Amino acid sequence: MADVIDLSKIEAGKMELQPVTFDIAAVVREVAESNQPLAAKNGTGIRVACEPAILYSDRVRIRQCLFNVVGNACKFTHQGRVLVEAHPERGSNGAWYLVRVVDTGIGIRPEDLDKLFCYFTQLDASSTRKHGGTGLGLAISRRLCRLMGGDITVESAPGKGSTFTLRLPAGVSDGIDIGS
């Protein structure tokens, strides 16, 4: 139900972000830990490699995006691994924080990659029956990331797993350092 409400707010242009200063590494670890039971059920290990950083952004929405991506990695990986790695990145276009979620799961066919971020889209009806889901999580997560000035991208191949990358603006305010 919350996904449908978020979808409605996003589409109506009424989604209000609530930026705060927070430790992104703590959020990444919290999300990984909360997905541990699902990973364990599927015989999958989760490893976190996260550089600390303080961000100024919407903590709740970033957590929501991470929860969707890490949860999907755990859902579609059996007897495998999920790695959540995160680090600051500085470039000519500003300060960013990258979170990569790499899994050894079922992977995604090239022709299906664009469909991942469409509302109510399930790539495989049999997966939907087996794993559940509404087809909203990734679509909403991408739109939330873009509202915050970032994005989510994916690289994948069938049988070889997937890598989802969340690129988040550091939202650095004066005196706040995203790390080295």
Side-chain angles (χ1 to χ4, degrees):
M1 183 63 156
D3 281 344
V4 174
I5 292 170
D6 285 345
L7 169 62
S8 297
K9 287 180 181 178
I10 290 168
E11 291 302 307
K14 301 292 184 187
M15 177 62 72
E16 293 184 24
L17 300 176
Q18 304 294 323
V20 297
T21 301
F22 67 99
D23 177 4
I24 183 68
V27 173
V28 169
R29 286 189 297 273
E30 172 191 324
V31 167
E33 187 175 302
S34 66
N35 277 285
Q36 185 60 45
L38 175 58
K41 176 183 165 195
N42 290 335
T44 296
I46 299 178
R47 188 170 75 86
V48 176
C50 189
E51 292 182 35
I54 303 298
L55 267 61
Y56 182 74
S57 190
D58 191 320
R59 181 190 188 284
V60 170
R61 297 303 177 188
I62 288 175
R63 184 187 185 287
Q64 178 181 354
C65 295
L66 289 170
F67 192 83
N68 281 323
V69 173
V70 174
N72 279 350
C74 293
K75 185 190 306 187
F76 293 103
T77 303
H78 296 269
Q79 306 300 318
R81 294 178 315 280
V82 173
L83 169 64
V84 184
E85 56 183 10
H87 60 87
E89 177 183 271
R90 294 181 200 276
S92 60
N93 60 350
W96 298 88
Y97 197 78
L98 272 61
V99 181
R100 289 180 64 227
V101 179
V102 183
D103 68 59
T104 60
I106 62 174
I108 304 159
R109 298 179 315 177
E111 62 269 23
D112 289 335
L113 290 175
D114 288 338
K115 297 175 193 173
L116 280 178
F117 299 105
C118 296
Y119 293 130
F120 301 108
T121 300
Q122 297 285 336
L123 298 184
D124 178 357
S126 64
S127 285
T128 303
R129 284 191 302 275
K130 182 177 180 182
H131 300 289
T134 61
L136 286 174
L138 289 176
I140 288 172
S141 293
R142 175 175 262 180
R143 279 154 184 88
L144 287 172
C145 279
R146 288 180 173 175
L147 277 174
M148 292 183 280
D151 203 0
I152 298 177
T153 57
V154 61
E155 297 172 25
S156 188
K160 300 201 184 285
S162 301
T163 299
F164 284 82
T165 303
L166 284 77
R167 189 167 193 251
L168 306 166
V172 178
S173 61
D174 291 339
I176 297 176
D177 183 14
I178 68 160
S180 45

